[in-house]
Amino acid sequence: MAPYLLGLQLDGRRVLVVGGGRVAQRRVPALLDAGASITLVSPSVTPALDDLIADGRVIWERRRYQPGDCDGAWLVHACTSNREANTAIAAEADAKRIWCVRADDKDASAAWTPASGRVDEVGIAVTAGGDPRRAAGIRDAVVSALRDGTVDARRHRTKPVGVALVGGGPGDPGLISVRGRQLLAQADVVVADRLAPRSLLDELPPDVELIDAAKVPYGRFLSQERINELLVEHAKAGRFVVRLKGGDPFVFGRGGEEMIACAQADIPVTVVPGITSAVAVPAAAGVPVTHRGVSQDFHVVSVHVPPGHPDSTVDWMGLARSQGTLILLMAVERIAEIAERLQGDGRSPETPVMVVQDGTLPTQRAVIATLSTVAERVTAAGLRPPAIVIVGDVVGVGQEIEMVRAERVP
């Protein structure tokens, strides 16, 4: 017959675990999380259990099971590798009306341990007819769906309020954080940037209002002031608003301005950091932004205005004289001016440069050059924004990695 599933409150209650092998190693942490007072009976234990014992979280009786060990227990786990011992433990527990879980025989066990998981306040328990592998697979699928918001996200009695500034990552929709997916799935209104992972927007329920806040270079443009107004207006109307951005909200994402606007209107704000393209795109192209013996610092620079422009606050001379890696955002259309300025301020014309377009996406492509040739190479390749420019000797490290891989291909 199907088991009657029940959540046990074990806080402070004695639980007996007999056996110190891998099964006990899986069971004990969950029991500790439930607050159980655990007595472990076994001649030996795994290193992981030994750590818990050393921390004083588990009482270890270093011996074999003896009749009477079940006394005072609320729950018993028979986890030994000896079938006869497990049978004797279960029989004693049954005689004393104590629930006992046998690890070796589900049909002879008075209770089953489900495959369990937890997401926030939601607990998941799956038995799957006593098949542990199937139960674990179903558990994992349900937990994953709860975490990314595809299950139950908008059915909460209480839901988030105010505005969430969510970093969507560098482009690949799989690189948004779990927390970002959760909040996106609970949104009433989504205000999305052009560089936010657009495919995630197709998963939104039809009643979610989607506001396109794209700032297309030399094209349509929604002002930052209007974006701030929209966040405040919708939040004040009682809607939960997600401001979905590419990269990280606070790395050239103007998240600080939006947070100030919300603070002035007494709107609560949740910030969910994102993976910035300044680090992720070089990594996706096989280039480490730092490397031992090559570069121990890197500089992330926005080039929304060219060198020498009155609005520029960039110390180009300092960057040129630095030995660190330069990560240049919004730079591809000004690459000729940038390369000329860096060379004029002291960077070697032979400094390696990589320009990566559509980083982390299936359409990703890259050009490798030097400071003296990069403008010509970018023009010839037809690279367009969004693109990341990497300047420094770490580009050579990326090439070395590719050479090693190529040599090892049979």
Side-chain angles (χ1 to χ4, degrees), residues 353-357 365-369 373-374 376-383 388 390 395:
V353 181
M354 176 183 278
V355 183
V356 186
Q357 178 181 312
R365 61 193 185 112
V367 164
I368 296 176
T373 63
V374 65
E376 179 184 348
R377 294 280 181 87
V378 165
T379 300
L383 294 189
I388 302 292
I390 311 158
V395 173

Side-chain angles (χ1 to χ4, degrees), residues 98-114:
I98 302 168
W99 290 108
C100 178
V101 181
R102 284 188 62 165
D104 63 333
D105 191 339
K106 69 181 180 66
D107 296 320
S109 183
W112 294 344
T113 298

Side-chain angles (χ1 to χ4, degrees), residues 77-90:
H77 282 265
C79 304
T80 78
S81 57
N82 185 309
R83 183 175 178 84
E84 292 182 359
N86 289 338
T87 300
I89 297 162

